[in-house]
Amino acid sequence: MIEKYFLNVEGLFKSFGKNLVVHDIDLKLEQGEIRGLIGPNGAGKTTLFNLISGFLTPNKGKIVWQGKNITGSAPSTIVKNGIARTFQLDVLLKDMTVLQNVLIGHHLHVNIGVIAQLLGLGKVKEKEKEAMRMSLELLEFMGLLELKNEIAGELPHGHQRSLGIAIALATEPKLLMLDEPITGMNSVEALNTMKKIKCLREKGITILIVEHNMRAVMSTCDKLTVINFGQKIAEGPPENVCENSLVIEAYLGSPDDEDDLILC
């Protein structure tokens, strides 16, 4: 049977002790879409990201990627299969430069033997040259080229978020999972970042994004999946999901809260 969906998450459960964090969640992504995953704090969004990317193993259910069951696979294996992610907290090698961080992302994708590196073989030098070229292109795309020699841990928070995306892109993903990519950015930075995310689709990358900024997800995503207390409560085009009473109550607050409703 040919798998219809690019990513197919079926009946996923995850508990920590008696606390059921993900409860029978299905998530089906088509190639080339930008999907938003939204919900209130503690809804289980990041746990779902951790399950898909291999940082957690589900108690039940399966994750099928391009027709291959990857449930329980190691994060390194999942990255090599074409799924990359960012994190809520910036995961950077803070004492290394911006450029070095992105180069390491490339090395996660390109397999270069240790012996070959020590011998300085021509093939290795060629791959290193290509990695440098691609890293500089990614930094330019993310607006960080002029900061390539800066220490990553000394960057402003918004730039660290952008660097996290560049590192993930360096692994040459087919699916990019972004966990709150514009949190902490000012309005200009956030707008520019969301524009770049749209450009990634044009480069053939499918996007799954967790983000609390409703204006951002409404203007960027083709479809939204909403979870609350570990369960999916709504799914569909942003304009439809935004009118769902369960979503308004769970994610946007009380239906009487006009400030929250303006976000739609």
Side-chain angles (χ1 to χ4, degrees):
M1 179 180 177
I2 298 175
E3 178 61 53
K4 177 182 178 182
Y5 296 100
F6 207 45
L7 176 72
N8 190 0
V9 174
E10 296 182 0
L12 221 56
F13 287 80
K14 182 61 183 178
S15 61
F16 298 99
K18 295 182 179 180
N19 185 20
L20 187 59
V21 181
V22 170
H23 182 196
D24 195 22
I25 285 186
D26 293 334
L27 181 68
K28 303 180 189 301
L29 293 185
E30 295 185 1
Q31 187 173 4
E33 77 169 294
I34 301 177
R35 175 72 65 88
L37 179 64
I38 67 172
N41 288 328
K45 303 182 298 296
T46 296
T47 299
L48 183 56
F49 259 42
N50 288 336
L51 291 167
I52 295 171
S53 56
F55 287 89
L56 291 174
T57 301
N59 300 106
K60 185 179 177 182
K62 66 178 180 179
I63 303 163
V64 179
W65 165 243
Q66 294 185 290
K68 179 181 179 181
N69 191 335
I70 61 169
T71 312
S73 296
S76 58
T77 300
I78 289 174
V79 168
K80 288 181 179 179
N81 280 330
I83 299 177
R85 64 163 300 180
T86 62
F87 296 81
Q88 283 184 354
L89 300 176
D90 300 309
V91 179
L92 311 171
L93 297 170
K94 295 186 181 295
D95 294 328
M96 299 182 73
T97 69
V98 168
L99 178 58
Q100 287 171 331
N101 269 267
V102 181
L103 282 169
I104 287 173
H106 273 294
H107 286 303
L108 292 174
H109 178 71
V110 179
N111 185 21
I112 302 176
V114 175
I115 294 177
Q117 289 186 40
L118 292 174
L119 293 176
L121 298 181
K123 184 177 180 181
V124 175
K125 292 181 179 179
E126 185 177 315
K127 286 185 177 181
E128 290 290 337
K129 185 176 180 180
E130 178 66 8
M132 177 65 74
R133 182 190 67 78
M134 292 180 69
S135 295
L136 292 173
E137 285 183 357
L138 284 174
L139 289 177
E140 183 175 20
F141 174 72
M142 293 305 303
L144 298 172
L145 186 58
E146 294 183 357
L147 303 173
K148 66 180 185 294
N149 295 320
E150 298 293 323
I151 300 300
E154 297 177 359
L155 293 178
H157 181 73
H159 285 155
Q160 289 195 22
R161 304 297 274 186
S162 295
L163 178 56
I165 296 174
I167 295 169
L169 288 172
T171 68
E172 300 182 35
K174 297 176 183 176
L175 170 63
L176 179 61
M177 300 168 56
L178 301 171
D179 199 350
E180 300 187 17
I182 62 173
T183 298
M185 291 186 177
N186 62 42
S187 58
V188 174
E189 291 172 334
L191 180 61
N192 288 336
T193 299
M194 296 309 289
K195 287 180 178 178
K196 288 180 172 66
I197 290 171
K198 287 184 178 179
C199 288
L200 292 176
R201 191 231 303 269
E202 298 172 6
K203 298 176 183 291
I205 300 175
T206 302
I207 308 290
L208 178 61
I209 178 172
V210 168
E211 182 52 58
H212 285 290
N213 186 317
M214 283 298 294
R215 286 191 178 94
V217 295
M218 287 287 293
S219 63
T220 303
C221 298
D222 307 306
K223 194 174 183 179
L224 299 180
T225 298
V226 190
I227 62 175
N228 192 29
F229 296 112
Q231 293 182 290
K232 184 164 69 174
I233 61 172
E235 190 170 74
E239 59 273 16
N240 293 347
V241 167
C242 196
E243 296 175 354
N244 186 297
S245 60
L246 290 176
V247 176
I248 293 172
E249 183 178 356
Y251 187 73
L252 300 176
S254 166
D256 296 328
D257 189 336
E258 294 183 0
D259 290 336
D260 280 338
L261 292 177
I262 289 173
L263 292 177
C264 298

